[in-house]
Amino acid sequence: MVSTPAARAEDVPDGVPPPPDGPTVNITVVWGDLVEVAADLHVTGHYQSVVPDAAELALDRAISAGPRPLITEHNRLGWIDAQLGEVTYFPCREGPVRAAAVVGMGPMGTLTERRAVQMYASLLGEATALGHVATMATVLIGAGAGNLSVGGAARALVRGFAAALASANPLAPTPRLTEVLVVEVDRLRAEQLLLALTGAAKDQKRLSVTPGLREESGGRLFVPSAAVYALAALSGLVRPAAGGPVPREGAGPPDRAGPSAEEALRTVLAGFEPGIREQVREQLAQLAAVRHTDLTLTVRGPIQAQDDSAPVRMSVQTGPGALRWAALTGGATVPERVALVDTDLLRELVDRLTEPTVEDAQALPEMLSRFVVPTEFQRLLTDDATVLLELDRDTASVPWEFLRDAQQVGGKKPEPLAIRTQLSRQLRTTYARVLTEAPATGELCALVIGDPGDPQQGLDLPGAREEARQVADQLRNLGVTVNLFVGAANSVRKPDEKPARRLDVLRALLCGGNDIVHYCGHSAFDRSGTGRRSGWVFADGLLTAQELGRLDRPPPLIVVANACYTARTGAAEPAGPPDGASLVADHSPWGNAQAALVPSLADEFLCIGVGHYIGSAWRIPDDQGISFAQEFYRHLFRSGPSEDPRTVGAAVRSARKALYEKRAEDDWPDGGQEPQRWSAWAAYQHYGDASDPFVPPADPSDAQKKG
């Protein structure tokens, strides 16, 4: 994989006519599937840190041989910088796609038409400089997700290409690249694209557009386009009777409608009331005067299964007295919006939803959705697709797991979003991930640590011991090799259990090749933000992510930290872990120390390359901690056809749902309900890509059981 420098605004002349002589490029609009069109180089766009979808995902699958698509995996590992105009190349296997690349689009929600001009100028300049590329196939980058209109993206392409050709060195050899194929899979959008490019390039001297569409395999007619063509055809049936104009040649509808056609239309309209029937005929007659390529319809089709739906990615960043939002979905990009919020109100809301009372857990989630989520983003909070929240360290303190569908008014309240769909978090940081790949060993290994705190300081947790033992037994039964450490060296253990000494656990982490790490015990995090005192509490000190940074082998794929008693301080609790490090910080952006606990610890582990960090943000009853872990691993390893797909996000959702459905089973003697039991499902935060597939080396049902 090779990256080129990103484009700069000053590199693109604006409004400067090209000299009369120099390289030229012809643009051909192709109706077909990008990966089935032969070319020397195939290119799509890529937003920073956004999971590939649509054309990029199709290209990813075309060049990938393993279960994890190549571009998706590079994105997960943070190897694609995707600065505006930066081109990243990928190797290809045999087939129509000989060479593949993605061009950076910058952060989602920021691609304006002017920035798109810079991106296209960088792309063409890079492609012509390669020397061996004669034809390049691409899509209309910037319009596929709705960020720009077809016309705006077409103008950006033409202006960017013209700028790149104008800046070419006149003394350099003539570039081989003379043909750019702009591929569109939908027929109507392809015609719209042809019209837009033809109009944008009409005054260009070095750019030409091939008249008419070129048809290749894989082209489709989607529901909106089919509706347009169907309405245009119906309009032709009533045109003679209504006195409408004759369509242009090739438009589709006939010049005249015979008796049989008119009778067919009468049959279609017979079920309508007379007044409505006449209105329909009138509208169809008017529609006949409109060229079908100028029409745009939005038709909502059936909800796709979650494993086939494009994820909804939302970015929430802090600003002065405001939250800055952006969103990217499979059908639309919502550019950045600023939601003004009262910091004091938000601080109180975060505080009351962090380990909330039953009353607050019932009443405040809808307010959270309406108070902090802009209106145009609220409609995206549905169960149609996976939701990925990209957060900074401040917004990560907000308990987003409580989000609900704020669009439904009255009636029965829907389940929280995190119960109805896969919801995960990703931290926006500047760290570099570990640049290694996990070896295919043919078996999964897990490190399980339970109750490593010092009992003499009151840091022993019997429930954590039991959870560690049950998790170890469950993983062994699923075919996983387990290394179990239970209790501090000065505690009482079973004869066959190894004590959880910090040095021994670190050795297992550094040398054990673990795929899963499950920790049950106390945690601490660094109030200074340096990360030096963030980690897990052992009787002989803290085990921090700083020690794990010395990993010379791939870090664990999944870390589950059920540190359910970490985020609570008070007179009845111990003074703190060894060396004076407090169990929680005394400050967070919203005034609640424990709200910042999991984001802080997750950041330390994610920065060394851990793929997924799952932690509890407040105290969880022992039995519910065990229930969450058991359901999480059961789903992760044994997902059946009737369940969500085998992804980490689906396993987290399944475990949350198991706790949610049992939240009111155990009432207090006075008739009330235990707060921690009522909202335990929302305490679990998942940092990582919810759609990341879990691909064990072998089917656990066939694996040899290992002790």
Side-chain angles (χ1 to χ4, degrees):
M1 182 188 71
V2 180
S3 295
T4 64
R8 298 176 300 168
E10 57 267 27
D11 294 334
V12 182
D14 193 0
V16 178
D21 298 322
T24 61
V25 167
N26 182 70
I27 301 172
T28 299
V29 179
V30 179
W31 177 42
D33 190 338
L34 175 67
V35 299
E36 297 183 27
V37 176
D40 297 321
L41 177 65
H42 286 69
V43 183
T44 64
H46 182 82
Y47 283 110
Q48 284 182 350
S49 302
V50 172
V51 179
D53 183 54
E56 185 184 11
L57 180 58
L59 182 63
D60 194 6
R61 289 170 174 166
I63 67 174
S64 304
R68 292 182 182 272
L70 190 62
I71 301 176
T72 300
E73 188 69 0
H74 279 64
N75 175 76
R76 184 182 70 84
L77 293 170
W79 293 352
I80 307 176
D81 195 25
Q83 296 291 332
L84 185 69
E86 182 183 67
V87 182
T88 306
Y89 296 92
F90 295 89
C92 299
R93 54 183 182 179
E94 295 182 359
V97 181
R98 303 177 212 163
V102 296
V103 59
M105 303 168 70
M108 65 177 183
T110 64
L111 189 67
T112 62
E113 187 171 329
R114 179 175 178 82
R115 286 172 60 84
V117 172
Q118 301 172 39
M119 176 191 70
Y120 276 115
S122 178
L123 173 60
L124 188 66
E126 171 72 14
T128 55
L130 290 176
H132 65 279
V133 174
T135 59
M136 178 175 70
T138 184
V139 293
L140 188 62
I141 301 171
N147 201 20
L148 299 175
S149 66
V150 171
R155 288 192 301 270
L157 183 149
V158 169
R159 290 178 57 202
F161 280 9
L165 294 172
S167 62
N169 186 350
L171 301 179
T174 302
R176 288 195 61 196
L177 179 61
T178 57
E179 185 76 18
V180 174
L181 309 176
V182 184
V183 185
E184 172 57 52
V185 71
D186 180 60
R187 177 58 185 258
L188 182 59
R189 278 180 59 90
E191 292 195 32
Q192 293 173 321
L193 175 55
L194 177 61
L195 288 175
L197 288 173
T198 301
K202 62 182 180 180
D203 296 326
Q204 295 291 335
K205 296 182 179 180
R206 294 185 179 176
L207 283 175
S208 60
V209 178
T210 302
L213 288 178
R214 171 175 150 188
E215 296 187 10
E216 294 281 356
S217 61
R220 299 173 63 186
L221 191 64
F222 293 110
V223 172
S225 300
V228 170
Y229 285 119
L231 290 174
L234 283 174
S235 71
L237 298 179
V238 298
R239 185 177 299 108
V246 177
R248 61 184 178 87
E249 183 179 358
D255 291 343
R256 291 182 174 83
S260 60
E262 180 68 17
E263 183 62 31
L265 180 59
R266 289 197 185 99
T267 301
V268 171
L269 299 178
F272 295 96
E273 297 178 1
I276 297 178
R277 186 161 57 241
E278 291 305 314
Q279 293 180 33
V280 171
R281 293 176 66 92
E282 180 181 353
Q283 293 297 322
L284 289 174
Q286 294 177 2
L287 180 62
V290 182
R291 296 170 63 182
H292 60 269
T293 49
D294 295 331
L295 300 178
T296 300
L297 296 181
T298 301
V299 179
R300 184 183 178 92
I303 295 176
Q304 294 176 296
Q306 288 185 0
D307 54 335
D308 293 329
S309 301
V312 173
R313 186 183 185 93
M314 291 188 182
S315 173
V316 192
Q317 312 298 322
T318 51
L323 298 179
R324 307 183 73 89
W325 289 76
L328 176 67
T329 73
T333 297
V334 182
E336 193 171 72
R337 297 286 187 270
V338 176
L340 299 177
V341 295
D342 186 301
T343 304
D344 292 334
L345 286 174
L346 183 56
R347 180 182 294 113
E348 182 179 357
L349 183 60
V350 171
D351 183 66
R352 289 176 60 178
L353 279 177
T354 302
E355 195 170 357
T357 64
V358 174
E359 292 74 19
D360 284 346
Q362 292 175 317
L364 295 181
E366 184 174 357
M367 181 182 178
L368 173 69
S369 302
R370 295 181 181 276
F371 179 57
V372 302
V373 183
T375 303
E376 59 258 63
F377 291 84
Q378 291 177 11
R379 62 182 175 81
L380 303 177
L381 299 180
T382 69
D383 54 359
D384 291 7
T386 295
V387 175
L388 306 177
L389 296 174
E390 183 185 84
L391 310 169
D392 58 25
R393 286 287 292 270
D394 291 350
T395 55
S397 297
V398 178
W400 300 107
E401 288 69 24
F402 278 114
L403 283 174
R404 291 180 179 271
D405 186 351
Q407 294 295 301
Q408 298 190 23
V409 180
K412 184 179 179 181
K413 297 297 182 183
E415 292 179 333
L417 185 66
I419 299 301
R420 290 155 42 210
T421 190
Q422 303 174 45
L423 182 147
S424 67
R425 300 160 168 239
Q426 293 182 322
L427 283 172
R428 175 176 285 190
T429 57
T430 58
Y431 58 73
R433 298 175 186 265
V434 176
L435 305 182
T436 54
E437 289 285 354
T441 61
E443 65 178 7
L444 285 177
C445 297
L447 173 64
V448 180
I449 310 149
D451 188 27
D454 189 349
Q456 294 182 0
Q457 295 190 24
L459 294 177
D460 55 325
L461 298 171
R465 290 193 179 206
E466 185 59 29
E467 177 182 338
R469 290 165 179 155
Q470 292 199 28
V471 166
D473 289 341
Q474 181 185 15
L475 290 175
R476 290 189 185 107
N477 291 333
L478 292 170
V480 180
T481 299
V482 176
N483 195 2
L484 175 64
F485 293 89
V486 174
N490 60 344
S491 65
V492 178
R493 296 175 308 282
K494 293 181 179 180
D496 58 342
E497 291 177 341
K498 293 178 290 186
R501 295 187 181 95
R502 192 166 54 131
L503 181 63
D504 294 334
V505 170
L506 180 60
R507 179 189 60 79
L509 281 167
L510 295 178
C511 309
N514 300 285
D515 302 284
I516 297 171
V517 174
H518 191 104
Y519 174 83
C520 325
H522 287 292
S523 296
F525 73 92
D526 187 1
R527 62 169 62 94
S528 71
T530 63
R532 297 175 188 171
R533 305 297 298 167
S534 298
W536 296 332
V537 178
F538 285 71
D540 53 346
L542 284 175
L543 181 61
T544 70
Q546 181 173 305
E547 280 80 45
L548 300 184
R550 297 181 176 87
L551 282 167
D552 58 357
R553 300 182 64 182
L557 172 65
I558 301 171
V559 172
V560 180
N562 210 354
C564 48
Y565 286 86
T566 310
R568 184 87 171 170
T569 58
E573 302 208 9
D579 302 327
S582 61
L583 284 174
V584 293
D586 55 5
H587 173 74
S588 78
W590 314 116
N592 190 309
Q594 68 188 55
L597 173 69
V598 177
S600 178
L601 289 172
D603 193 25
E604 300 302 330
F605 283 93
L606 294 173
C607 75
I608 63 169
V610 169
H612 300 269
Y613 187 94
I614 302 160
S616 55
W618 56 80
R619 296 186 298 175
I620 304 297
D622 293 338
D623 63 319
Q624 291 209 333
I626 293 172
S627 295
F628 180 92
Q630 288 181 336
E631 177 60 22
F632 172 76
Y633 292 118
R634 183 204 68 80
H635 189 107
L636 195 65
F637 283 85
R638 297 294 180 97
S639 179
S642 62
E643 296 181 292
D644 285 342
R646 186 184 286 180
T647 64
V648 180
V652 172
R653 172 188 174 272
S654 182
R656 284 177 181 148
K657 189 173 183 179
L659 298 188
Y660 181 81
E661 293 175 345
K662 298 178 181 178
R663 66 193 186 282
E665 285 186 357
D666 297 326
D667 295 345
W668 283 349
D670 61 1
Q673 289 159 332
E674 185 179 353
Q676 284 121 357
R677 188 172 300 280
W678 182 266
S679 57
W681 63 270
Y684 285 95
Q685 299 176 2
H686 171 210
Y687 288 86
D689 182 357
S691 60
D692 190 21
F694 179 73
V695 185
D699 190 336
S701 63
D702 298 330
Q704 179 181 0
K705 306 302 185 220
K706 298 182 182 291

